[in-house]
């Protein structure tokens, strides 16, 4: 509703959308935004998790309507706290049971089983391979008969094509990077043996793109700590390396998620082989990467947590780290909401404007009658 004004038979709906104008006349036709570039916005929630990096786990649970963040690595070491984002602020939750403190655990929501799945990570006892489910109130440990080996910084996402959660790579003992592919069916993990596969890596960025039907994996770090910038697609049976004409530079720990509100797969930040943090924003269209240049942007960082929040129709990004500090700031990425409405100078129609100065056509004066300001 923030990106387009739909048919409305009552003035009250229009007031709810723009809050600043009254439209007198006929019912308006559907409008389409002509200049609505998404951007980053820095939020200042009343409460917030402490600063953390090393892959604090975050995902949206559509069954419970919760954006859940768990663990990560803070100033005092690995964490085990659970937080919920409600679109305006963070609230710490206190479940009866919880995974042990860990950093770099993989988390994804499985709509087929209704499970918010958390796997592995690095804890005080070393690399973990435990599997947990968040039910909206507490964490429950699951005990599959088969499981990937202990690891941290594995890439994990739900694959609608196969109706299963896919996990790839990560790193384990001796910081050895892995290249195995696993599938979760709600009860057990099963190792897959695709004909082709990405090279070994940890902290690669992976997410499903429903616009193109692709599970995309980008970058990461190999066993020697070299950052990568290759792009791979998973089709449910095997991996295929893609050859985009343009691509982000090599990086590890970049944040990536699909934004259905803008129809874009968004990648942000990460760090290069030298350890320098990045703050560029990129979009994947199914064939190529395109760099975006939003009006505002988070500071450079790697290993920030990012997921899409349907309640606010924005991507939410939290924390991460630079080479000097760990962070606990909250950002959103999306199209700013409509905040005003005015007639065009030539009298040919009305335009909605939002906080970023984007304009939306809203029909013509002849069809809609007159506009008065409150």
């Amino acid at each position: 509703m923030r990106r387009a004004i739909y048919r409305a038979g009552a003035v009250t709906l229009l007031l709810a959308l723009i809050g600043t104008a009254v439209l007198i006349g006929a019912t308006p036709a559907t409008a389409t935004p002509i200049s609505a570039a998404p951007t980053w916005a820095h939020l200042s929630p009343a409460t917030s998790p402490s600063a953390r990096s090393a892959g604090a786990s975050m995902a949206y649970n559509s069954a419970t309507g919760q954006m859940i963040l768990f663990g990560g690595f803070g100033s005092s070491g690995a964490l085990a706290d659970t937080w919920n984002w409600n679109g305006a602020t963070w609230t710490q939750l206190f479940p009866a049971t919880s995974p042990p403190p860990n950093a770099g655990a993989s988390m994804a929501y499985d709509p087929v089983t209704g499970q918010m799945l958390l796997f592995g990570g690095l804890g005080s006892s070393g690399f973990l391979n435990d599997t947990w489910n968040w039910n909206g109130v507490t964490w429950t440990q699951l005990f599959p008969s088969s499981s990937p080996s202990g690891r941290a910084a594995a890439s994990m996402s739900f694959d609608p094509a196969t109706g299963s959660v896919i996990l790839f790579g990560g790193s384990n003992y001796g910081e050895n990077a892995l290249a195995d592919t696993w599938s979760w069916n709600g009860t057990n993990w099963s190792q897959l043996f695709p004909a082709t596969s990405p090279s070994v890596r940890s902290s690669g960025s992976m997410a499903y793109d429903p616009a193109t039907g692709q599970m995309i994996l980008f970058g990461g770090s190999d066993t020697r700590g070299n950052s990568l910038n290759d792009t791979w697609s998973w089709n449910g049976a095997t991996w295929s390396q893609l050859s985009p004409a343009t691509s982000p530079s090599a990086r590890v720990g970049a944040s990536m998620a699909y934004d259905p509100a803008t129809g874009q797969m968004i990648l942000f930040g990460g760090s290069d082989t030298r350890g320098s943090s990045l703050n560029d924003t990129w979009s994947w269209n199914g064939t190529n990467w395109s760099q975006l240049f939003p009006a505002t942007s988070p500071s450079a960082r790697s290993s920030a947590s990012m997921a899409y929040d349907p309640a606010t129709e924005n991507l939410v990004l939290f924390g991460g780290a630079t080479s000097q500090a760990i962070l606990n700031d909250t950002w959103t990425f999306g199209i700013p909401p409509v905040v005003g409405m005015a007639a065009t100078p030539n009298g040919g129609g009305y335009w909605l404007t939002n906080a970023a100065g984007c304009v939306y056509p809203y029909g013509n004066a002849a069809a809609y009658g007159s506009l008065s300001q409150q």
Side-chain angles (χ1 to χ4, degrees):
M1 295 295 286
R2 294 182 289 116
R3 275 151 291 281
I5 303 301
Y6 298 94
R7 293 186 182 275
V11 172
T12 53
L13 178 57
L14 179 62
L15 288 173
L17 292 170
I18 63 175
T20 59
V22 177
L23 186 65
I24 310 299
T27 300
T30 301
T32 303
I34 60 172
S35 176
T39 190
W40 292 96
H42 183 205
L43 306 184
S44 299
T47 58
S48 181
S50 59
R52 64 194 64 202
S53 179
S57 309
M58 189 168 81
Y60 183 81
N61 186 332
S62 58
T64 62
Q66 296 171 313
M67 176 75 80
I68 296 297
L69 180 141
F70 174 82
F73 189 85
S75 58
S76 60
L79 303 167
D81 47 350
T82 301
W83 293 78
N84 177 48
W85 171 255
N86 68 0
T89 193
W90 293 95
T91 302
Q92 186 172 359
L93 307 179
F94 296 93
T97 58
S98 177
N102 75 69
S106 305
M107 188 160 76
Y109 177 68
D110 180 354
V112 173
T113 62
Q115 296 171 323
M116 175 76 91
L117 203 66
L118 182 87
F119 174 81
L122 176 61
S124 59
S125 61
F127 290 92
L128 307 171
N129 76 330
D130 46 351
T131 302
W132 293 78
N133 172 50
W134 171 257
N135 66 2
V137 178
T138 193
W139 292 97
T140 302
Q141 186 171 0
L142 307 179
F143 296 93
S145 59
S146 59
S147 179
S149 59
R151 66 191 68 194
S155 305
M156 190 167 80
S157 181
F158 177 74
D159 177 19
T162 59
S164 59
V165 172
I166 299 296
L167 181 144
F168 177 81
S171 62
N172 61 9
Y173 303 94
E175 299 302 317
N176 178 51
L178 303 167
D180 46 350
T181 301
W182 292 78
S183 173
W184 172 259
N185 66 2
T187 304
N188 282 309
W189 291 99
S190 299
Q191 185 172 0
L192 307 180
F193 297 93
T196 59
S197 177
S199 58
V200 297
R201 70 193 62 205
S202 62
S203 296
S205 307
M206 189 166 80
Y208 182 79
D209 181 357
T212 62
Q214 298 172 315
M215 175 82 83
I216 295 296
L217 173 74
F218 176 82
S221 174
D222 65 17
T223 298
R224 296 184 177 181
N226 298 311
S227 298
L228 307 169
N229 78 327
D230 47 350
T231 301
W232 293 78
S233 175
W234 170 257
N235 68 0
T238 194
W239 292 97
S240 299
Q241 185 170 3
L242 307 181
S243 301
T246 57
S247 181
S249 59
R251 64 193 64 201
V252 59
S255 306
M256 189 167 79
Y258 180 73
D259 179 6
T262 62
Q264 297 175 313
M265 176 79 85
I266 298 297
L267 181 143
F268 174 80
S271 63
D272 61 22
T273 298
R274 299 185 305 275
S276 299
S277 300
L278 306 167
N279 77 328
D280 46 350
T281 301
W282 292 78
S283 172
W284 171 255
N285 68 0
T287 304
N288 281 312
W289 291 98
S290 299
Q291 188 171 359
L292 307 180
F293 297 92
T296 59
S297 180
S299 59
R301 68 193 65 200
S302 65
S303 301
S305 306
M306 188 168 78
Y308 179 72
D309 179 10
T312 60
E313 297 184 343
N314 282 308
L315 294 177
V316 177
L317 181 141
F318 176 82
T322 68
S323 58
Q324 292 82 30
I326 55 177
L327 308 168
N328 76 328
D329 48 349
T330 302
W331 292 77
T332 60
F333 180 84
I335 297 174
V338 170
V339 297
M341 183 174 183
T344 54
N346 63 6
Y350 304 123
W351 299 86
L352 295 175
T353 61
N354 63 25
C358 303
V359 293
Y360 297 66
Y362 198 66
N364 58 74
Y368 303 149
S370 62
L371 177 74
S372 63
Q373 298 291 329
Q374 286 187 321

